[in-house]
């Protein structure tokens, strides 16, 4: 949201001094005004402003459609009433709190950095693919330090993503962002990384810790940890004496919360490490059609909670035993399903900022970077999120029935990696393309249809009106 647009809203509201409270409820931000007589109605005619003005008795509310929460994040400090965050929480509780929507709100401010890095990653991947299939000897480019640095630039944002997520969550909850960043960056400490390298078993207070540092830094666990930290910080600050305020809370938060998280996630990760690969290997071997369909549906969920790291060993085993991987094929349709749902969201959205984000997220997802589509677009609405899962399942079912395989390892499969599905003398690539179209079409079609039903029930953009 541009500063000029924010200024237009403030002019319409009669200035900052006329705002009593800023409320937020899903896709709208409401400004509760002190005096309705201070409204500057001329702004509606002179500026590109769409408003729902509600005057009931002595109370005046200015309702603004705010799908991206940008208006709320900008104006939430305005207003003299305390408890703006509590007011938002109360609205969420009344309408049903959605963890998906909250996670999406956390990721929205990070999108410029993520999308910028995503474009660099995609360009690097395209260059690497062209080099792989080029007849000329261009390996000097791939081995050059210049190419390596560009690859690092593209990966850098995703490497520090846990810290960015921690800061964004703390900012939204109005807790200490520096304590949050310290928690988010715990697994980057070199000695911790070496300790959890898998060379030996690691225990903390007698409990095992799984040797998957990235599992602890998965965004959902970081977000939940910072939510707990924000709550603990408020409790400690409330009971701390004046001379120790601002000092005791960070100390006790780090001392209590970080060990507690390790004691919870450590055994959970150890249990997953012991049973998940064996169960998935058995499922892929004995029921390939069912396994690819299920993986196409749940891979996005695995990505959210950090289970996708355990798929690497399964993919390697597939490659060694069969010469190809059906798991990579399932990952492909899951990612394409997210892209289809993001595109439908962009088409249906009435807010220009959200539309642009959805279209960019669609492109990056199709080219292998799924985070913008998954976290910032589809998780805002349960219908589009579930539609993306169903699209992945539909594409996975087709892949399972036709035994579609990838014949080379790849991180996140995408349209760029389609050549990895080429089978000499076979139709594997053709079936891959058909499965991709099915996943994209099912997820996009379902999202577009369900979004249209929501708008018919009165969830369209607000129009100027005075009650």
């Amino acid at each position: 949201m541009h500063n000029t647009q924010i200024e237009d809203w403030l002019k319409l509201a009669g200035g900052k001094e006329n705002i009593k409270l800023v409320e937020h409820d899903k896709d709208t931000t409401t400004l509760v005004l002190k005096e309705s007589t201070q409204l500057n109605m001329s702004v509606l005619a002179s500026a590109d402003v769409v408003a729902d003005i509600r005057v009931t008795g002595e109370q005046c509310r200015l309702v603004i459609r705010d799908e991206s929460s940008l208006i709320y994040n900008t104006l939430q400090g305005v207003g003299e009433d305390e408890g703006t965050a509590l007011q938002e929480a109360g609205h969420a509780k009344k309408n049903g709190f959605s963890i998906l929507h909250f996670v999406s709100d956390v990721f929205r401010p990070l999108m410029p950095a993520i999308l910028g890095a995503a474009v660099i990653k995609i360009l690097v991947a395209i260059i690497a693919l062209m080099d792989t299939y080029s007849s000329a000897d261009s390996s000097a480019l791939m081995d050059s330090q210049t190419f390596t640095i560009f690859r690092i630039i593209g990966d850098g944002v995703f490497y520090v993503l846990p810290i960015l997520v921690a800061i964004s969550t703390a900012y939204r909850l109005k807790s200490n962002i520096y304590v949050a960043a310290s928690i988010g960056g715990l697994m980057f400490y070199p000695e911790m990384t070496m300790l959890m390298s898998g060379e030996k078993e690691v225990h903390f207070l007698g409990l095992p810790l799984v040797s998957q540092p990235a599992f602890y830094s998965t965004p959902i666990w970081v977000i939940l940890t910072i939510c707990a930290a924000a709550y603990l910080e408020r409790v400690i600050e409330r009971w701390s004496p004046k001379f120790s305020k601002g000092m005791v809370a960070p100390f006790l938060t780090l001392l209590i919360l970080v060990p507690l998280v390790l004691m919870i996630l450590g055994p959970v990760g150890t249990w997953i490490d012991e049973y998940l690969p064996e169960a998935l290997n058995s499922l892929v071997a004995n029921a390939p059609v069912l396994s690819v369909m299920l993986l196409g549906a749940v891979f996005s969920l695995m990505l959210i909670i950090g289970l996708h790291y355990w798929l690497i060993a399964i993919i390697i085993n597939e490659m060694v035993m069969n010469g190809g991987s059906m798991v990579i094929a399932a990952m492909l349709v899951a990612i394409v399903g997210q892209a289809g749902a993001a595109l439908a969201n962009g088409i249906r959205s009435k807010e220009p900022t959200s539309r642009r984000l959805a279209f960019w997220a669609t492109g990056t997802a199709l080219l292998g970077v799924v985070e913008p589509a998954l976290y910032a677009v589809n998780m805002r609405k349960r219908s589009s999120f579930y539609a993306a899962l169903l699209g992945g399942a539909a594409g996975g079912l087709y892949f399972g029935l036709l035994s579609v395989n990838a014949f080379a390892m790849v991180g996140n499969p995408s349209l760029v990696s389609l050549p990895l599905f080429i089978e000499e003398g076979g139709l594997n690539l053709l079936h891959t393309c058909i499965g991709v179209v099915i996943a994209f079409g099912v997820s996009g079609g379902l999202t577009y249809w369900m979004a249209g039903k929501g708008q018919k029930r009165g969830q369209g953009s607000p129009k100027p009106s005075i009650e």
Side-chain angles (χ1 to χ4, degrees), residues 353-370:
T353 304
S354 295
R355 287 172 64 89
R356 286 195 298 269
L357 174 58
F359 292 148
W360 273 96
T362 300
T364 58
L366 288 174
L367 297 175
V369 183
V370 71

Side-chain angles (χ1 to χ4, degrees), residues 251-427:
F251 160 66
L252 291 180
T253 299
L254 292 172
L255 181 65
I256 296 172
L257 194 64
V258 175
L260 183 61
V261 169
L262 292 176
M263 291 169 65
I264 293 173
L265 292 182
V268 170
T270 302
W271 184 87
I272 294 171
D273 192 37
E274 183 177 354
Y275 293 104
L276 181 65
E278 182 180 348
L280 286 179
N281 272 324
S282 176
L283 186 63
V284 170
N286 299 318
V289 176
L290 178 63
S291 64
V292 177
M293 183 183 74
L294 288 178
L295 281 173
V298 305
F299 175 72
S300 297
L301 298 176
M302 298 177 72
L303 195 66
I304 292 171
I305 60 180
L307 298 185
H308 60 294
Y309 297 110
W310 278 273
L311 293 179
I312 297 175
I314 298 172
I315 293 172
I316 293 174
N317 182 66
E318 276 190 301
M319 289 290 185
V320 172
M321 300 298 295
N322 307 321
S325 173
M326 299 182 73
V327 172
I328 294 179
M331 293 165 58
L332 173 62
V333 287
I335 292 173
V336 170
Q338 294 292 335
L343 178 62
N345 267 315
I347 295 173
R348 281 291 192 186
S349 176
K350 302 297 183 181
E351 189 186 58
T353 304
S354 295
R355 287 172 64 89
R356 286 195 298 269
L357 174 58
F359 292 148
W360 273 96
T362 300
T364 58
L366 288 174
L367 297 175
V369 183
V370 71
E371 284 83 0
L374 175 59
Y375 290 110
V377 179
N378 295 330
M379 288 183 74
R380 297 194 70 76
K381 297 179 181 178
R382 282 174 291 188
S383 58
S384 62
F385 183 72
Y386 297 149
L389 302 187
L390 290 174
L397 176 60
Y398 182 84
F399 277 2
L401 292 173
L402 277 298
S403 300
V404 174
N405 282 271
F407 300 103
M409 289 281 291
V410 64
N412 275 353
S414 65
L415 298 187
V416 175
S417 55
L418 283 179
L420 305 180
F421 290 82
I422 296 176
E423 181 183 25
E424 187 175 353
L427 299 176

